[in-house]
């Protein structure tokens, strides 16, 4: 399947590929010069997404305040408000944009901040995109670095996929990633063991998502009133020295892809989903289960209507260089197994993590882009210790 080369970008208005030197989109005529470059920001970077739950539905992506837009001119609420109001339309170039982000002349919706987001810093890169079929991005990510008490670095990445069938999935994923990243940063800085810190961070994320439920929303076991509570999945990765720690709830995933492709790649998470339950029970093969329309009904999620949040955690000591991927199902739907994922990861992924994230996004868009797509890439350098699982 063909992929967009890393130097290509996508028109923020119609999503068609463009060369960076282009001033106007060849398909819709959008004025690319009207879109300012992304601001340079430091510290934790947030992005927002969608998922599935016992609750069924599909996933998507969208970012909260503080996220770094790759190529959009937009207000902080992601609607185009403050960032585009009063500016010429990028489509017809004759009308003006109203406060809601639409052209007063042709009615064309202007790109929103959360439609496409990118970030790269020491030890991690991430990309999130609305995809080709969804009207908004309901995924989220947060990435950060921290200093351990002994002076060594820690790298953190969190990805969340909002449950599309629930209310305000974009807010749920944004709240989860922000809360988990903040909790992990604080815990690691004060010397808490990474696995324990990950467990607590996911519980903190669950509290943040539960707090979004409307006033009067009933507690667990009671009949829901007014609306479905906001809900999302979550997956995180933390690298501290030669230790890799993974945590998750739901069906967002983590993968290990070594530089040496003769070595087996691995999927580091097990989905909380109907399909995974069928496979674990021996009732269906993995291919049969994931082909079923119920496959993406998740059995674990964060939200006020979750029966009980039980974070999964695992720790590893990779014995060779490679990359860790944490992603929403908008990506892994197009490369489900560890071998399939490794096949689409570029050979230079560890040294060019942002380009790797862009290539993975391109693969999902080439496959149809039916969902929001979010992936964080964490390079793992060669270590002297032997492999193992803790």
């Amino acid at each position: 399947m063909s992929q967009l080369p890393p130097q290509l970008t996508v028109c923020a208005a119609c999503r068609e590929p463009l060369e960076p030197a282009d001033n106007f989109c060849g398909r819709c005529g959008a004025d690319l010069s009207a879109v300012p470059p992304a601001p340079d920001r430091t510290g934790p970077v947030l992005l927002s997404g969608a998922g599935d739950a016992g609750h069924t539905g599909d996933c998507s992506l969208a970012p909260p305040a503080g996220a770094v837009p790759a190529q959009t001119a937009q207000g902080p609420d992601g609607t185009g408000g403050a960032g585009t109001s009063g500016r010429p339309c990028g489509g017809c170039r004759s009308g003006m944009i109203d406060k809601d982000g639409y052209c007063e002349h042709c009615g064309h919706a202007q790109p929103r901040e959360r439609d496409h987001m990118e970030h790269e810093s020491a030890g991690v890169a991430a990309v999130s995109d609305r995809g080709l079929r969804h009207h908004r991005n309901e995924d989220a990510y947060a990435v950060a670095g921290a200093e351990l008490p002994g002076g060594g670095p820690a790298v953190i990445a969190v990805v969340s996929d909002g449950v599309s069938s629930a209310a305000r999935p974009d807010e749920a994923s944004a709240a989860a990633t922000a809360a988990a990243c903040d909790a992990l940063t604080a815990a690691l800085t004060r010397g808490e063991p990474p696995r324990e810190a990950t467990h607590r961070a996911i519980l903190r994320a669950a509290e943040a998502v539960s707090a979004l439920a409307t006033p009067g929303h009933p507690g667990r076991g009671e009949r829901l009133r007014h609306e479905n509570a906001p809900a999302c999945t979550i997956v995180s990765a933390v690298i501290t020295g030669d230790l890799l720690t993974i945590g998750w709830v739901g069906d967002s995933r983590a993968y290990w892809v070594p530089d040496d492709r003769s070595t087996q790649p691995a999927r580091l998470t097990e989905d909380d989903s109907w399909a995974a339950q069928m496979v674990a029970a021996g009732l269906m093969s993995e291919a049969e289960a994931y082909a079923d329309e119920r496959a993406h009904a998740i059995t674990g999620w964060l939200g006020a209507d979750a029966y009980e949040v039980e974070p999964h955690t695992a720790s590893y000591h990779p014995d060779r260089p490679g990359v860790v991927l944490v992603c929403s199902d908008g990506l892994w739907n197009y490369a489900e197994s560890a071998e399939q994922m490794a096949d689409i990861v570029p050979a230079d992924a560890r040294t060019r993590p942002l380009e790797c994230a862009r290539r993975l996004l391109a693969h999902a868009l080439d496959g149809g882009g039916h969902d929001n797509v979010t992936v964080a890439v964490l390079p793992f350098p060669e270590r002297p210790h032997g492999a193992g699982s803790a």
Side-chain angles (χ1 to χ4, degrees), residues 1 9 33 46 97 108 111 116 129 179 223 253 262 288-290 293 322 345 359 372-373:
M1 186 175 294
T9 56
S33 64
L46 310 178
I97 306 307
H108 183 79
H116 183 87
D129 192 272
R223 185 178 178 182
R253 292 182 177 180
S262 66
E288 291 171 334
Y290 281 100
E293 63 182 7
V345 170
R359 291 294 185 99
N372 304 147
V373 186

Side-chain angles (χ1 to χ4, degrees), residues 22-120:
D22 289 346
N23 292 321
F24 296 94
C25 174
R27 178 180 177 185
C28 70
D31 184 357
L32 306 178
S33 64
V35 181
D40 181 19
R41 309 196 186 176
T42 58
V45 180
L46 310 178
L47 234 256
S48 353
D52 318 81
H55 300 285
T56 59
D58 49 280
C59 306
S60 17
L61 323 125
V68 181
Q71 54 187 64
T72 57
Q74 207 145 355
D77 60 356
T79 62
T84 56
S85 179
R87 298 186 60 175
C89 172
C92 68
R93 303 202 295 280
S94 59
M96 301 300 288
I97 306 307
D98 63 21
K99 62 182 180 62
D100 295 319
Y102 292 86
C103 175
E104 295 174 337
H105 176 69
C106 69
H108 183 79
Q110 302 303 293
R112 293 174 294 185
E113 179 182 14
R114 60 190 60 190
D115 284 353
H116 183 87
M117 310 287 284
E118 296 184 358
H119 171 79
E120 183 174 37

